[in-house]
Amino acid sequence: MGPSVTDALAAAADAARLAPSVHNTQPWRWVVRGDTLELYAVPQRQLQEQDPDGRLMILSCGAALHHALVGLAAEGWEHRVERPAGEPLAVVHAERHAPADPHAMQRMQLLRVRHTDRRVVSDEPVPPDVRDALAEAARHGGARLHVLNRDQVLQLAVMIEHSGEAQRHDERMRAETDEWVGGDRPEGTGLPDAVIPAELPLTTVAERDFGVTGTLSAGAGHDSAAAYAILYGDGDEPRDWLLAGEALSHLWLSATEHGAAVLPLSSPVELDFTRQALRRMLGELGYAYLVLRLGTADPDHAGPPHTPRLPAEQVIEIEPPSA
Protein backbone atom coordinates (compact mmCIF):
# COMPACT_ATOMS: atom_id res chain seq x y z
CA MET A 1 0.00 0.00 0.00
CA GLY A 2 1.35 3.44 -0.95
CA PRO A 3 1.65 6.37 1.42
CA SER A 4 -1.56 8.11 2.40
CA VAL A 5 -2.19 11.55 0.99
CA THR A 6 -2.44 12.93 4.53
CA ASP A 7 0.99 11.57 5.43
CA ALA A 8 2.48 12.88 2.17
CA LEU A 9 1.09 16.38 2.70
CA ALA A 10 2.25 16.43 6.32
CA ALA A 11 5.72 15.35 5.17
CA ALA A 12 5.71 18.13 2.55
CA ALA A 13 4.82 20.70 5.21
CA ASP A 14 7.60 19.29 7.37
CA ALA A 15 10.09 19.74 4.52
CA ALA A 16 8.94 23.37 4.29
CA ARG A 17 10.22 23.97 7.82
CA LEU A 18 13.73 24.02 6.29
CA ALA A 19 12.93 27.02 4.08
CA PRO A 20 14.83 30.31 4.43
CA SER A 21 13.00 33.28 5.96
CA VAL A 22 13.86 36.84 6.89
CA HIS A 23 15.75 36.75 10.23
CA ASN A 24 14.64 33.09 10.41
CA THR A 25 11.18 34.21 11.57
CA GLN A 26 9.46 31.22 9.86
CA PRO A 27 6.23 33.24 9.41
CA TRP A 28 4.09 30.41 8.01
CA ARG A 29 1.45 27.93 9.09
CA TRP A 30 0.19 24.83 7.27
CA VAL A 31 -3.16 23.07 7.42
CA VAL A 32 -3.59 19.58 5.97
CA ARG A 33 -7.23 19.29 4.97
CA GLY A 34 -8.16 16.11 3.10
CA ASP A 35 -6.11 15.99 -0.09
CA THR A 36 -5.10 19.65 0.16
CA LEU A 37 -2.36 21.56 1.96
CA GLU A 38 -3.13 25.18 2.83
CA LEU A 39 -0.48 27.83 3.48
CA TYR A 40 -1.14 30.80 5.79
CA ALA A 41 1.04 33.71 6.87
CA VAL A 42 1.55 34.29 10.60
CA PRO A 43 1.59 38.06 11.27
CA GLN A 44 2.74 37.41 14.85
CA ARG A 45 6.13 36.49 13.34
CA GLN A 46 6.19 39.43 10.93
CA LEU A 47 8.87 42.12 11.33
CA GLN A 48 6.47 44.98 11.94
CA GLU A 49 9.14 47.71 11.81
CA GLN A 50 11.41 46.39 9.04
CA ASP A 51 8.66 44.79 6.95
CA PRO A 52 5.43 46.73 7.67
CA ASP A 53 3.77 45.76 4.37
CA GLY A 54 4.60 42.07 4.79
CA ARG A 55 6.70 41.82 1.61
CA LEU A 56 9.43 39.76 3.23
CA MET A 57 6.95 37.77 5.31
CA ILE A 58 5.06 36.64 2.19
CA LEU A 59 8.29 36.13 0.24
CA SER A 60 9.42 33.84 3.07
CA CYS A 61 6.12 31.96 2.79
CA GLY A 62 6.75 31.57 -0.95
CA ALA A 63 10.10 29.93 -0.24
CA ALA A 64 8.33 27.56 2.17
CA LEU A 65 5.72 26.79 -0.49
CA HIS A 66 8.37 25.76 -3.00
CA HIS A 67 10.09 23.66 -0.35
CA ALA A 68 6.78 21.89 0.30
CA LEU A 69 6.33 21.21 -3.43
CA VAL A 70 9.84 19.76 -3.61
CA GLY A 71 8.97 17.49 -0.69
CA LEU A 72 5.71 16.41 -2.28
CA ALA A 73 7.39 15.63 -5.60
CA ALA A 74 10.05 13.60 -3.79
CA GLU A 75 7.20 11.48 -2.37
CA GLY A 76 5.96 10.87 -5.92
CA TRP A 77 2.86 13.07 -5.76
CA GLU A 78 1.76 15.15 -8.71
CA HIS A 79 0.15 18.36 -7.56
CA ARG A 80 -1.71 21.51 -8.56
CA VAL A 81 -1.31 24.87 -6.81
CA GLU A 82 -3.85 27.64 -6.37
CA ARG A 83 -2.68 31.08 -5.24
CA PRO A 84 -5.83 32.96 -4.25
CA ALA A 85 -5.74 36.66 -3.43
CA GLY A 86 -5.76 36.75 0.36
CA GLU A 87 -5.75 33.89 2.83
CA PRO A 88 -4.82 31.16 2.44
CA LEU A 89 -1.82 32.29 0.42
CA ALA A 90 -1.78 28.99 -1.45
CA VAL A 91 -3.65 25.71 -1.65
CA VAL A 92 -1.75 22.63 -2.84
CA HIS A 93 -3.88 19.81 -4.27
CA ALA A 94 -2.30 16.35 -4.24
CA GLU A 95 -3.64 14.65 -7.36
CA ARG A 96 -1.90 11.40 -8.30
CA HIS A 97 0.81 9.20 -6.82
CA ALA A 98 3.54 7.56 -8.87
CA PRO A 99 7.15 6.50 -8.27
CA ALA A 100 9.27 9.56 -7.60
CA ASP A 101 11.82 10.37 -10.29
CA PRO A 102 15.52 10.63 -9.32
CA HIS A 103 15.65 14.39 -10.04
CA ALA A 104 12.86 15.06 -7.53
CA MET A 105 14.67 13.00 -4.92
CA GLN A 106 17.95 14.82 -5.64
CA ARG A 107 16.25 18.19 -5.12
CA MET A 108 15.03 16.96 -1.75
CA GLN A 109 18.62 16.21 -0.78
CA LEU A 110 19.67 19.71 -1.90
CA LEU A 111 16.88 21.15 0.22
CA ARG A 112 18.31 19.43 3.30
CA VAL A 113 21.83 20.79 2.86
CA ARG A 114 20.93 24.33 1.70
CA HIS A 115 21.88 27.01 4.21
CA THR A 116 22.66 30.70 4.54
CA ASP A 117 26.36 31.47 4.70
CA ARG A 118 27.50 34.93 5.83
CA ARG A 119 31.19 34.16 5.46
CA VAL A 120 33.27 35.85 2.78
CA VAL A 121 33.10 33.88 -0.46
CA SER A 122 36.18 32.41 -2.12
CA ASP A 123 38.20 34.29 -4.75
CA GLU A 124 36.76 32.01 -7.45
CA PRO A 125 33.90 33.82 -9.25
CA VAL A 126 30.66 32.09 -10.11
CA PRO A 127 31.11 30.77 -13.68
CA PRO A 128 28.90 32.32 -16.39
CA ASP A 129 27.08 29.05 -17.05
CA VAL A 130 26.16 28.78 -13.36
CA ARG A 131 24.89 32.37 -13.37
CA ASP A 132 22.76 31.44 -16.37
CA ALA A 133 21.43 28.39 -14.51
CA LEU A 134 20.49 30.56 -11.52
CA ALA A 135 18.72 33.09 -13.75
CA GLU A 136 16.80 30.26 -15.41
CA ALA A 137 15.84 28.84 -12.02
CA ALA A 138 14.50 32.26 -10.98
CA ARG A 139 12.45 32.48 -14.18
CA HIS A 140 11.10 28.99 -13.60
CA GLY A 141 9.94 30.11 -10.16
CA GLY A 142 8.15 33.20 -11.47
CA ALA A 143 10.68 36.05 -11.13
CA ARG A 144 13.81 37.34 -12.86
CA LEU A 145 17.42 37.95 -11.94
CA HIS A 146 19.41 41.06 -12.89
CA VAL A 147 23.15 40.75 -12.26
CA LEU A 148 24.67 44.13 -11.42
CA ASN A 149 27.60 45.60 -13.32
CA ARG A 150 30.56 47.15 -11.50
CA ASP A 151 29.10 50.65 -11.35
CA GLN A 152 25.81 49.29 -10.06
CA VAL A 153 27.64 47.30 -7.36
CA LEU A 154 29.21 50.54 -6.15
CA GLN A 155 25.76 52.16 -6.14
CA LEU A 156 24.46 49.20 -4.16
CA ALA A 157 27.28 49.60 -1.63
CA VAL A 158 26.28 53.23 -1.02
CA MET A 159 22.63 52.27 -0.86
CA ILE A 160 23.24 49.59 1.78
CA GLU A 161 25.41 51.97 3.76
CA HIS A 162 22.59 54.54 3.81
CA SER A 163 19.91 51.98 4.70
CA GLY A 164 22.09 50.55 7.46
CA GLU A 165 22.69 54.01 8.87
CA ALA A 166 18.98 54.81 8.82
CA GLN A 167 18.12 51.57 10.60
CA ARG A 168 20.84 51.98 13.22
CA HIS A 169 19.34 55.35 14.17
CA ASP A 170 15.80 53.94 14.39
CA GLU A 171 15.27 52.79 17.96
CA ARG A 172 12.26 50.61 17.15
CA MET A 173 14.07 48.83 14.31
CA ARG A 174 17.06 48.15 16.58
CA ALA A 175 14.78 46.77 19.29
CA GLU A 176 13.03 44.52 16.77
CA THR A 177 16.35 43.16 15.50
CA ASP A 178 17.40 42.45 19.08
CA GLU A 179 14.32 40.22 19.46
CA TRP A 180 15.39 37.96 16.60
CA VAL A 181 19.19 38.01 16.52
CA GLY A 182 21.85 36.74 18.91
CA GLY A 183 22.11 34.27 21.75
CA ASP A 184 21.34 30.56 21.57
CA ARG A 185 17.74 30.96 20.28
CA PRO A 186 16.26 28.06 22.27
CA GLU A 187 12.74 28.92 21.09
CA GLY A 188 13.48 27.66 17.55
CA THR A 189 13.49 30.94 15.59
CA GLY A 190 15.90 33.77 14.86
CA LEU A 191 19.62 33.92 14.15
CA PRO A 192 21.92 32.47 16.84
CA ASP A 193 25.46 33.66 17.48
CA ALA A 194 26.85 30.66 15.57
CA VAL A 195 25.65 32.03 12.19
CA ILE A 196 26.63 35.68 12.82
CA PRO A 197 30.20 36.75 11.94
CA ALA A 198 32.44 37.56 14.88
CA GLU A 199 33.40 40.72 13.01
CA LEU A 200 32.12 42.30 9.82
CA PRO A 201 34.43 41.57 6.88
CA LEU A 202 35.96 44.50 5.01
CA THR A 203 33.97 44.26 1.79
CA THR A 204 32.83 46.69 -0.90
CA VAL A 205 29.19 45.87 -0.19
CA ALA A 206 28.80 45.71 3.57
CA GLU A 207 27.09 42.76 5.18
CA ARG A 208 24.26 43.55 7.54
CA ASP A 209 25.39 44.78 10.94
CA PHE A 210 23.02 43.08 13.37
CA GLY A 211 24.54 44.92 16.31
CA VAL A 212 25.70 41.68 17.97
CA THR A 213 29.03 39.90 18.04
CA GLY A 214 28.61 36.38 16.72
CA THR A 215 30.97 33.44 16.84
CA LEU A 216 31.24 32.61 13.11
CA SER A 217 34.67 33.15 11.57
CA ALA A 218 33.88 35.20 8.47
CA GLY A 219 37.26 34.73 6.79
CA ALA A 220 39.88 37.25 5.74
CA GLY A 221 38.93 37.61 2.09
CA HIS A 222 37.01 40.26 0.23
CA ASP A 223 33.92 40.26 -1.98
CA SER A 224 35.82 41.11 -5.17
CA ALA A 225 34.87 37.74 -6.73
CA ALA A 226 31.23 37.94 -5.63
CA ALA A 227 28.39 38.85 -7.97
CA TYR A 228 25.44 40.90 -6.80
CA ALA A 229 22.00 40.56 -8.31
CA ILE A 230 18.45 41.83 -7.89
CA LEU A 231 15.59 39.34 -7.77
CA TYR A 232 12.69 41.20 -9.35
CA GLY A 233 9.39 40.89 -11.19
CA ASP A 234 6.61 42.77 -12.95
CA GLY A 235 4.28 43.34 -9.98
CA ASP A 236 4.41 44.58 -6.41
CA GLU A 237 1.43 42.83 -4.84
CA PRO A 238 1.24 39.92 -2.36
CA ARG A 239 0.91 37.32 -5.11
CA ASP A 240 4.09 38.68 -6.71
CA TRP A 241 5.94 38.50 -3.38
CA LEU A 242 4.81 34.89 -2.97
CA LEU A 243 6.14 33.99 -6.42
CA ALA A 244 9.38 35.82 -5.59
CA GLY A 245 9.84 33.50 -2.62
CA GLU A 246 9.22 30.46 -4.80
CA ALA A 247 11.78 31.81 -7.29
CA LEU A 248 14.29 32.36 -4.49
CA SER A 249 13.92 28.74 -3.38
CA HIS A 250 14.28 27.50 -6.99
CA LEU A 251 17.42 29.61 -7.40
CA TRP A 252 18.92 28.59 -4.05
CA LEU A 253 18.53 24.87 -4.72
CA SER A 254 20.16 25.35 -8.12
CA ALA A 255 22.99 27.29 -6.46
CA THR A 256 23.48 24.50 -3.92
CA GLU A 257 23.65 21.95 -6.75
CA HIS A 258 26.37 24.00 -8.49
CA GLY A 259 28.44 24.74 -5.38
CA ALA A 260 27.47 28.41 -5.28
CA ALA A 261 26.70 30.36 -2.11
CA VAL A 262 23.70 32.67 -1.79
CA LEU A 263 23.37 35.46 0.76
CA PRO A 264 20.10 37.45 0.68
CA LEU A 265 20.45 41.15 1.46
CA SER A 266 17.05 42.40 2.55
CA SER A 267 17.93 45.82 3.98
CA PRO A 268 17.67 47.65 0.60
CA VAL A 269 14.05 46.51 0.15
CA GLU A 270 13.00 47.33 3.72
CA LEU A 271 13.02 51.10 3.18
CA ASP A 272 10.99 52.97 0.57
CA PHE A 273 13.82 55.19 -0.67
CA THR A 274 16.27 52.33 -1.26
CA ARG A 275 13.58 50.14 -2.81
CA GLN A 276 12.83 52.93 -5.29
CA ALA A 277 16.55 53.28 -6.00
CA LEU A 278 16.69 49.58 -6.88
CA ARG A 279 13.73 50.06 -9.20
CA ARG A 280 15.60 52.86 -10.99
CA MET A 281 18.60 50.52 -11.24
CA LEU A 282 16.31 48.12 -13.11
CA GLY A 283 15.37 50.91 -15.53
CA GLU A 284 11.93 50.89 -13.88
CA LEU A 285 11.21 47.68 -15.78
CA GLY A 286 10.29 45.78 -12.62
CA TYR A 287 10.00 45.80 -8.85
CA ALA A 288 12.87 44.65 -6.64
CA TYR A 289 12.08 41.88 -4.15
CA LEU A 290 15.52 41.08 -2.77
CA VAL A 291 19.22 41.65 -3.38
CA LEU A 292 21.43 38.55 -3.53
CA ARG A 293 25.16 38.07 -3.13
CA LEU A 294 26.31 35.15 -5.29
CA GLY A 295 29.69 33.55 -4.79
CA THR A 296 31.61 30.29 -4.77
CA ALA A 297 31.67 28.60 -1.39
CA ASP A 298 35.07 27.70 0.04
CA PRO A 299 35.24 23.89 -0.33
CA ASP A 300 37.95 23.58 2.33
CA HIS A 301 35.88 24.94 5.19
CA ALA A 302 32.57 23.67 6.49
CA GLY A 303 29.75 26.18 6.45
CA PRO A 304 27.94 27.50 9.49
CA PRO A 305 25.37 25.31 11.24
CA HIS A 306 21.75 25.33 10.19
CA THR A 307 19.58 27.86 11.98
CA PRO A 308 17.04 26.47 14.49
CA ARG A 309 13.53 25.52 13.43
CA LEU A 310 10.17 25.60 15.14
CA PRO A 311 8.81 22.13 15.99
CA ALA A 312 6.39 20.67 13.49
CA GLU A 313 3.43 20.77 15.87
CA GLN A 314 3.72 24.57 16.05
CA VAL A 315 3.47 25.12 12.29
CA ILE A 316 1.50 22.13 10.95
CA GLU A 317 -2.14 21.37 11.71
CA ILE A 318 -3.75 18.17 10.45
CA GLU A 319 -7.52 18.47 10.33
CA PRO A 320 -9.22 15.19 11.15
CA PRO A 321 -11.52 13.80 8.45
CA SER A 322 -15.17 14.65 8.90
CA ALA A 323 -17.40 11.92 10.24
Side-chain angles (χ1 to χ4, degrees):
M1 181 181 294
S4 74
V5 66
T6 297
D7 290 344
L9 291 171
D14 191 61
R17 294 192 305 121
L18 301 176
S21 58
V22 58
H23 290 12
N24 193 31
T25 49
Q26 302 162 62
W28 50 70
R29 179 174 66 89
W30 298 95
V31 178
V32 178
R33 203 185 310 273
D35 62 355
T36 64
L37 178 63
E38 299 173 357
L39 170 62
Y40 296 85
V42 180
Q44 293 85 347
R45 294 199 290 276
Q46 177 182 351
L47 300 176
Q48 299 291 341
E49 300 298 328
Q50 296 165 55
D51 185 33
D53 297 323
R55 280 183 174 82
L56 295 171
M57 175 184 69
I58 294 178
L59 187 149
S60 300
C61 289
L65 173 59
H66 180 253
H67 270 48
L69 298 180
V70 169
L72 200 57
E75 292 285 333
W77 285 89
E78 296 180 2
H79 53 265
R80 173 173 56 88
V81 184
E82 294 179 70
R83 298 171 182 83
E87 292 282 319
L89 294 174
V91 180
V92 181
H93 299 262
E95 297 196 318
R96 190 173 73 88
H97 185 259
D101 68 75
H103 179 64
M105 299 174 73
Q106 179 195 28
R107 292 211 303 168
M108 186 65 189
Q109 293 302 317
L110 294 171
L111 183 152
R112 291 192 176 108
V113 300
R114 181 218 63 82
H115 64 279
T116 303
D117 194 341
R118 292 178 175 81
R119 297 176 302 160
V120 175
V121 295
S122 76
D123 56 7
E124 188 71 31
V126 176
D129 61 327
V130 175
R131 287 194 199 183
D132 292 343
L134 301 187
E136 178 57 32
R139 280 192 295 271
H140 192 66
R144 282 170 284 169
L145 192 69
H146 171 70
V147 178
L148 304 183
N149 61 36
R150 179 61 182 171
D151 288 343
Q152 290 174 325
V153 169
L154 296 176
Q155 293 175 44
L156 174 67
V158 174
M159 194 183 306
I160 286 183
E161 182 181 349
H162 288 169
S163 63
E165 190 70 16
Q167 292 181 335
R168 281 191 294 273
H169 285 85
D170 189 310
E171 185 176 334
R172 291 182 302 182
M173 282 195 179
R174 290 202 317 270
E176 183 174 68
T177 298
D178 290 345
E179 291 178 11
W180 293 98
V181 179
D184 293 330
R185 315 305 305 174
E187 67 276 21
T189 59
L191 304 176
D193 289 342
V195 302
I196 304 295
E199 56 185 19
L200 290 175
L202 299 175
T203 54
T204 302
V205 179
E207 290 192 23
R208 187 168 197 144
D209 185 356
F210 290 107
V212 300
T213 301
T215 59
L216 176 67
S217 176
H222 201 268
D223 63 347
S224 55
Y228 289 86
I230 301 173
L231 186 69
Y232 74 102
D234 295 330
D236 195 27
E237 299 296 331
R239 188 178 185 277
D240 303 303
W241 308 336
L242 188 74
L243 286 171
E246 294 178 66
L248 174 65
S249 178
H250 268 280
L251 181 154
W252 213 323
L253 294 189
S254 179
T256 303
E257 180 180 11
H258 288 93
V262 178
L263 177 63
L265 305 174
S266 62
S267 62
V269 301
E270 293 170 10
L271 301 173
D272 287 338
F273 78 92
T274 47
R275 197 166 57 250
Q276 291 305 318
L278 289 174
R279 179 162 163 74
R280 289 192 294 272
M281 202 177 284
L282 293 167
E284 301 198 358
L285 297 176
Y287 295 89
Y289 304 131
L290 206 58
V291 175
L292 305 175
R293 186 193 72 182
L294 307 173
T296 301
D298 188 341
D300 296 328
H301 295 87
H306 289 275
T307 48
R309 288 299 185 266
L310 289 166
E313 57 269 20
Q314 287 193 30
V315 294
I316 304 171
E317 175 187 342
I318 300 176
E319 186 176 275
S322 56

